[in-house]
Structures are given as structure tokens and as C-alpha cells.
Amino acid sequence: MRSPTSINPDKMGCQLLWVFVILTLITIGEGRRSIGGACNPNDLKGLRSFKAGIRSDSSGRLAKWVGPSCCKWEGIYCDNTTGRVTEINLPGFFTLDGAPFQSSMEGWLSPSITLLTSLEVIDLSGLIYLTGNIPPSIGFRLPKLRKLSLFSNRLSGPVPETIGKLSKLEEIYLHENNLSGSLPSSLGNLRNLKRLDLHSNRFSGAIPDSITDLTNLVSLDLHANSLTHRIPEKIGNLQVLEELDLSNNSLCGRIPVSITNLTAISALYLDTNHLEGEIPFPSSSGQMPSLGFLRLHANLLTGRIPAAFGYLTSLQRVSLSNNKLEGPIPSSLGKLSSLTELYLNGNQLSGQIPGSIHQLSALLILSISHNMIQGPLPYEMSSLQDLQTIDLSFNRLNISSIPKWLIGLRSLSRIYLAGCGLRGEIPEYLQSTQISLQELDLSANHLTGSIPEWLGSFTQLYSLNLSGNSLVSELPTSITNFGYLDNTFSRGIQQIGKGVQSGIQYLNLSHNSLKGRLPTSIGQLVSMQSLDLSYNELGSDLPVSLANASSLETLKLQKNRFTGRIPDGFLKLGKLQELNLSDNLLVGKIPFGSPLSDFPKSSFIGNRGLCGKPLGSCKA
Ligand SMILES: *[C@@H]1O[C@H](CO)[C@@H](O)[C@H](O)[C@H]1NC(C)=O
Ligand SMILES: *[C@@H]1O[C@H](CO)[C@@H](O)[C@H](O)[C@H]1NC(C)=O
Ligand SMILES: *[C@@H]1O[C@H](CO)[C@@H](O)[C@H](O)[C@H]1NC(C)=O
Ligand SMILES: *[C@@H]1O[C@H](CO)[C@@H](O)[C@H](O)[C@H]1NC(C)=O
Ligand SMILES: *[C@@H]1O[C@H](CO)[C@@H](O)[C@H](O)[C@H]1NC(C)=O
Ligand SMILES: *[C@@H]1O[C@H](CO)[C@@H](O)[C@H](O)[C@H]1NC(C)=O
Ligand SMILES: *[C@@H]1O[C@H](CO)[C@@H](O)[C@H](O)[C@H]1NC(C)=O
Ligand SMILES: *[C@@H]1O[C@H](CO)[C@@H](O)[C@H](O)[C@H]1NC(C)=O
Ligand SMILES: *[C@@H]1O[C@H](CO)[C@@H](O)[C@H](O)[C@H]1NC(C)=O
């Protein structure tokens, strides 16, 4: 037996037990306040691998990931009972000391992230330079995942088929990456999914039919991919869907009739695809009662705008432009009392504008250009007192003159009446209007007479298009007044760095019979981006001051009678992208250097005596 001096084994057992109990208590204690404790070895390994994959982190958050207490690390959240990591929350865009801060991480997404098997939330969005794939093991290892947010990175490869096993997933944000391949049909298994955003990737193939099983889906955004085939026939099953964006793909076939069953839909964007057939909705009142934003433009849709269109009484913005729609504009449109923007341009619509249009009292923008609409314009339009933009260009209106009521619309600032059959002089009554005109396009009409001096009094005007008429005068010096008051003002502001743009930016007086010289003051048009005076009879030397119009990107002076040399100062026009001086009477050496020497020969040909790059060298 044991000597009495020896330690009583029972007693020792007892002591050991105590040590054990104390240790256990400490461990449990640590578990409880797990945010302080050493974390689960798998979690630690996974996080360290993630950190090892990142070469640089401009936010400095990962640099503070030291030691074994990962639950204390920035962006990491643990379950306070199990001690397991439940969230990785490291978005590139976050608030730092109350101010928004955009950071980035360079490196790749380590697949070891799936070692963190208790993860519920992964937010590694907006890190900009994060590369790598979505690890296929995600489906086996992260059964608790509720939110997967990896948007605005540089991830590539497919969305793994295993994603369909993550039955708790509620939100998937993978947009703005470089992901490719076809969409896994297993997506249809994610019955708890509320938001799926895959826009701006390179996904191809069909939208899986199984997507219509996602009956809890509130928003679905697949825009700007390369998806083909038809829209799933049963899309109408998505009863709680509020936003559907399938725009800018290569979808074809008809818009499914079931779409009328999307009772919760508020934004429907199917534009910029190859959809054909008729617009299948609405067929009766009460359908799609919340639809506020509808974009069907840039497709191949045919037939008429449904007569029942007026039942979509929540509509605020509608774009049906650039399709092959025909027939009249339905008068039921007048029931859309919330409508603020209506784009019907680029179709084959005919008939007159319905008088009911005056009921659209909230309308701000009306674009009907490039159709076959006939005149006269209904006088009822004069009650559209909030209208800011009207574009009626290129129809069969033949309205002869700008209606007086039109320029009485107090909110109007952008008027497009190109190709509307306007004739006679630019009417004097335009001078007395109260509206502050910003854009005026009266091109491709039959206007005669001169460009009136008083046009210069529209100091807000930044775009004027009078090209393709029969105007004959000299250029009024007042054209350099456009935005003049603003100009002197804004120059002061620009110096303090606000960069306010004002003054005329686009001036197109081409294809007229304008005579005389360019006023020297033209160099004051420092905001001018595009000046087209081509196809006129303008003469004189090119003013040296034009070199001061430093915003010029487009300068078209071809087919005139300009004389003398090209001023050396033109080399200062550093923003110039388009230049045409051909078919004039210019002489001498083309000033050598960028940007002038970079233009093709055809920018300078047909002059009396120009030489030097890009034309042939000058004789000594
Ligand atoms: C654990 O966290 C939950 C919420 O996340 C909190 O309500 C609870 O009080 C915490 N328990 C302990 C012991 O800290
Ligand atoms: C996208 O991935 C392809 C290969 O799949 C690659 O060629 C391309 O450079 C990537 N684009 C970007 C912007 O990373
Ligand atoms: C469509 O998406 C492509 C990228 O896929 C983008 O470059 C393009 O600007 C988009 N077009 C429109 C009309 O949104
Ligand atoms: C719309 O839904 C109703 C009932 O939910 C159903 O009977 C009908 O077939 C659906 N219509 C279409 C075109 O899917
Ligand atoms: C346009 O109207 C004018 C009269 O205002 C008329 O002389 C001309 O024939 C009409 N043109 C067309 C194509 O209807
Ligand atoms: C001016 O009108 C012509 C003819 O209508 C058009 O081609 C051009 O794009 C218009 N806009 C500008 C800024 O010149
Ligand atoms: C100016 O209008 C003409 C049509 O008259 C058009 O061909 C030209 O492209 C327009 N210029 C610019 C710079 O848009
Ligand atoms: C160009 O602008 C500068 C500074 O505004 C002015 O001093 C100069 O006289 C102008 N040049 C011409 C030729 O108008
Ligand atoms: C410049 O205008 C002429 C017509 O005078 C045309 O033949 C030529 O292609 C144009 N060049 C460029 C670069 O636009």
C-alpha cells in the first residue's frame, strides 16, 4: 500500500477534479463571452487562410487580425453560446467615424472560407479587386448561410450548382463581377430566397424554369448579362415579386402571359432584349396594381399599345421606345394620373395625339419622336403645366409653326421639334416667352430668314440645333451671349474648384446658308463642346480666339469658305476628338502636333493649299 507520506490518491483525484471543474468553468465562461475567447480552430484556420489570400487591404482592418481571439477581430461576429463565427462583415464601403469610406482589397478569395461552417452572413462586397471563384464546397459546408454578398469584385467562374443546398439562403448579391457560365437550375431549391441579384456579369444560357419556384422572391435582377432563350413561362408564379430586371440580355420569344399574375410587381424592366410579339398586359383592370416603373424599350415588340393600358394606374415612368409598335396612342393613357415620364419614340405609331393626354397632370417628360403621328396637336396639351421636356421630332405633324400655347407651358425647358414641317421665320413670339429655355432643336425644318439676335437672351440655353434649315443671315454676335451671365459667374466658381458647367455646349447651325465671318468673341464660349457650322457659306480667317474654346470635343467647319492659315493656337484644343476643316479655302502648314496631326487626311482635304501632317509635306 502507499506510504502515509505519499499523496493520498483519492485526495489527488479530488484536487484534479477541482482543477478540471475550474478549468471547465473558465472555458464555459470564455464561451459565454466568446467575443473575448480563442476561437474554434477551424474558424481560425479559415480566417487566417482568407487573410493570407489578401495582398493588400486599404482599410487596414486585416492588419489588426492578430492572435487567436478571432471573435474580437474587426468584421467578425460569433455566436455567444457556441463561440463559432457566424458573420464575416468586411464590405469595402463602410462608415468610419461616421463618414462614408471606400476601401479595397487586392488578392483572392480563399476557398478555406468554407471551414467556417457556422457562417450565416458573408459580406465581402465592394472590395473592388477581390479575385477568385465562389468555392463549390460552399454548398456542403455552410448550411446556415442566410446572406451571401460578394458584389462589386472581380470574381470569375460559375455559380456552383451546390448553391441549391443552402436552403436557409435569403439574400444573394453577386452582381458586378466577372462570373460566367449558365445559371444553376438548383437555384430553384432556395425556397427562402427573397433577393437575387446577379446583374452585370457574363452569365449566358437560359434563365432556368426552376426560378419560378422561388415563391418568396421579392427582387430578381439579372440585367446586363448574356442570357438567351425565353423568359420562363410561369414567371407569374412569383406572387410577392416587387422588382424584376431582366434588361440588357439577349432574351427572345414573347413576354409570358402569366406576367399579369405578378400582383406585387412595382418595377418591371425587360428592355434591351430581342423580345417579340405583343405587350400581353394588362387584360383587365386591377392587374399589376402597384406597377410604377415599366421599361420595355429596345425590343422587337409589335402590335398596338393595349387599349387597356390605362388600367395600370400606378405607372410613373413608362418606356416603350424603339420597338415596332403601331396603331394609335390609346386614349386610356389619360387615366395614368401619376405618370411623370412617357417615352414612345422610335415606333410606328400613327393617328393623332389623344386629347385625353391633358389628364396627365404630373407629366414631366413626353417623347414621341420618330413615329408617324399626325397633326394637329390637341390644344388640350396646353394644360400640361408641369411638362419640362417635349420631343415631337420626326413625325408627320407638319405643324408649320411652333404653337403659341407650347411656349406658354411655364415649366418647359427642352423643346424638340425637328422635322415637324416648321416654316417661315423663327417666330418673334418666342422672344417674349417666360420659359427658361435650355435645349432647342428646330433642325430639319423649312425655317427661313435670319438667326435672330434675341436668341442670345436665353442665357440658360446650352443646346441649340437649327441645322438643316434655310437660314441665311450672318452669325449674330449675340450667339456668344448664350449663358454669358452664367459664364462670368461660373468662371469665378470654377476657380474655386466647383466646376459648374454653364454656357452653350452644343451648337449646330450646319446645313443652312449662313454667311459672313465668325465673331472673334466665339472664343468666350469656354463651355462649348460641340460646334457644327458645316455646310454653310461662312468666310473669313479662322479666329485665333477659337483656341480659347478649350472644352471643344467636336469642331465641324467643313464645306464653307474659310480662308487663311489654321491658327497655331488650335494645338491647345486638347479635348478635340472630331475635327473637320475640309472643303474650305485654307492655306499653309497644318500646325504640327497633337491633336491636329492625329486626325485623318479627310479632316483637311479639299482646301486651297494646306500641307504638313497628315497631308503631304510642305514644299520648302
Ligand atoms: C447573446 O447574444 C444575444 C443576441 O445576439 C443576446 O440577446 C444575449 O443576451 C447574449 N447572451 C450573452 C450571455 O451574452
Ligand atoms: C473576366 O474573365 C475572363 C476569363 O473568364 C478574362 O479573360 C477577363 O479578362 C476577365 N475580365 C475582367 C474585367 O477581369
Ligand atoms: C448592357 O450591358 C453591357 C455590359 O454587359 C454594357 O456595356 C452596356 O452599356 C449595357 N447597355 C445598356 C443599354 O444598358
Ligand atoms: C394566374 O394565376 C391564377 C391563379 O393563381 C391561375 O389560375 C392562372 O392560370 C394564372 N394565369 C397564368 C397566365 O399563368
Ligand atoms: C404641310 O402643311 C403645308 C401648309 O401648312 C402644306 O402646304 C403642305 O402640303 C403640307 N405637307 C404635307 C406633307 O402634308
Ligand atoms: C441636331 O439635328 C440633327 C438633325 O435633326 C441631328 O442629326 C443632330 O443629332 C442634332 N443634335 C445635335 C447636337 O447636333
Ligand atoms: C448637326 O446636324 C446635322 C444634320 O443637319 C448632322 O448631320 C450632324 O451630325 C450634326 N452635328 C453634330 C455635331 O451633331
Ligand atoms: C484667350 O483667353 C485669355 C485668358 O482668358 C485672354 O487673355 C486672351 O486674350 C484670349 N485670346 C484670344 C485670342 O481671345
Ligand atoms: C469631312 O467632311 C468631308 C466633306 O466635306 C467628308 O468627305 C470627310 O469624310 C469628313 N472627314 C471627317 C474626318 O469627318
Side-chain angles (χ1 to χ4, degrees), residues 47-199:
L47 289 172
R48 282 180 173 160
S49 298
F50 170 75
K51 182 180 170 179
I54 306 298
R55 289 192 306 277
S56 78
D57 163 25
S58 73
S59 73
R61 285 173 292 186
L62 296 190
K64 291 182 253 165
W65 281 17
V66 287
S69 307
C70 75
C71 293
K72 279 186 182 164
W73 294 352
E74 206 165 337
I76 301 303
Y77 297 86
C78 294
D79 184 306
N80 56 12
T81 53
T82 65
R84 296 296 309 265
V85 174
T86 56
E87 282 192 35
I88 300 182
N89 218 314
L90 290 171
F93 190 75
F94 59 103
T95 40
L96 187 65
D97 302 328
F101 181 70
Q102 174 69 60
S103 64
S104 62
M105 284 189 195
E106 268 174 67
W108 76 306
L109 176 62
S110 168
S112 302
I113 200 156
T114 61
L115 288 172
L116 295 105
T117 51
S118 288
L119 275 178
E120 293 169 28
V121 174
I122 299 179
D123 188 347
L124 295 170
S125 63
L127 296 170
I128 307 174
Y129 304 116
L130 190 66
T131 59
N133 301 326
I134 301 172
S137 53
I138 198 170
F140 304 112
R141 300 245 188 97
L142 307 184
K144 297 183 172 169
L145 204 60
R146 283 184 290 108
K147 175 176 171 180
L148 178 62
S149 183
L150 297 170
F151 67 88
S152 293
N153 284 303
R154 290 198 179 160
L155 301 175
S156 52
V159 173
E161 188 72 41
T162 61
I163 201 162
K165 297 188 189 297
L166 301 175
S167 60
K168 293 220 163 74
L169 265 180
E170 291 172 13
E171 298 165 83
I172 302 180
Y173 306 107
L174 300 176
H175 50 281
E176 293 167 4
N177 276 292
N178 193 14
L179 299 167
S180 55
S182 48
L183 302 180
S185 61
S186 68
L187 278 173
N189 298 338
L190 303 176
R191 298 304 164 91
N192 288 306
L193 202 60
K194 296 198 174 82
R195 300 184 183 275
L196 176 59
D197 194 344
L198 303 178
H199 82 255

Side-chain angles (χ1 to χ4, degrees), residues 221-409:
D221 190 347
L222 304 177
H223 86 260
N225 280 290
S226 304
L227 298 168
T228 52
H229 299 75
R230 292 161 176 269
I231 298 173
E233 227 30 75
K234 293 185 181 164
I235 195 89
N237 287 0
L238 303 179
Q239 296 281 313
V240 297
L241 196 65
E242 291 169 11
E243 294 171 13
L244 176 61
D245 191 347
L246 304 179
S247 67
N248 197 356
N249 280 289
S250 299
L251 299 169
C252 57
R254 294 169 165 263
I255 300 174
V257 180
S258 76
I259 211 151
T260 54
N261 268 359
L262 293 178
T263 46
I265 198 81
S266 116
L268 179 59
Y269 303 147
L270 304 180
D271 60 276
T272 324
N273 278 295
H274 309 305
L275 299 172
E276 55 190 33
E278 301 192 2
I279 300 173
F281 59 87
S283 48
S284 61
S285 72
Q287 283 173 347
M288 306 164 114
S290 308
L291 188 60
F293 307 94
L294 175 63
R295 298 196 321 223
L296 299 177
H297 61 262
N299 277 296
L300 305 166
L301 299 171
T302 51
R304 297 171 169 235
I305 300 174
F309 209 71
Y311 285 134
L312 300 171
T313 49
S314 296
L315 280 177
Q316 294 175 44
R317 290 189 210 152
V318 177
S319 175
L320 306 180
S321 49
N322 300 322
N323 278 291
K324 298 195 276 186
L325 299 169
E326 56 188 26
I329 299 173
S331 71
S332 73
L333 218 68
K335 294 190 193 137
L336 305 179
S337 56
S338 303
L339 202 62
T340 57
E341 296 177 26
L342 178 61
Y343 303 90
L344 301 176
N345 50 292
N347 281 291
Q348 293 151 25
L349 299 170
S350 55
Q352 286 174 267
I353 296 176
S356 63
I357 201 165
H358 80 272
Q359 293 167 275
L360 303 180
S361 55
L363 201 61
L364 306 175
I365 300 178
L366 176 64
S367 178
I368 311 185
S369 70
H370 295 277
N371 278 290
M372 302 185 308
I373 301 292
Q374 288 168 333
L377 295 174
Y379 179 72
E380 288 94 329
M381 286 177 82
S382 60
S383 60
L384 297 175
Q385 288 294 325
D386 287 344
L387 201 63
Q388 296 170 356
T389 301
I390 189 165
D391 188 352
L392 303 176
S393 301
F394 299 108
N395 276 286
R396 297 191 178 162
L397 285 170
N398 199 16
I399 51 175
S400 302
S401 61
I402 304 175
K404 281 188 180 157
W405 57 258
L406 185 72
I407 55 171
L409 298 180

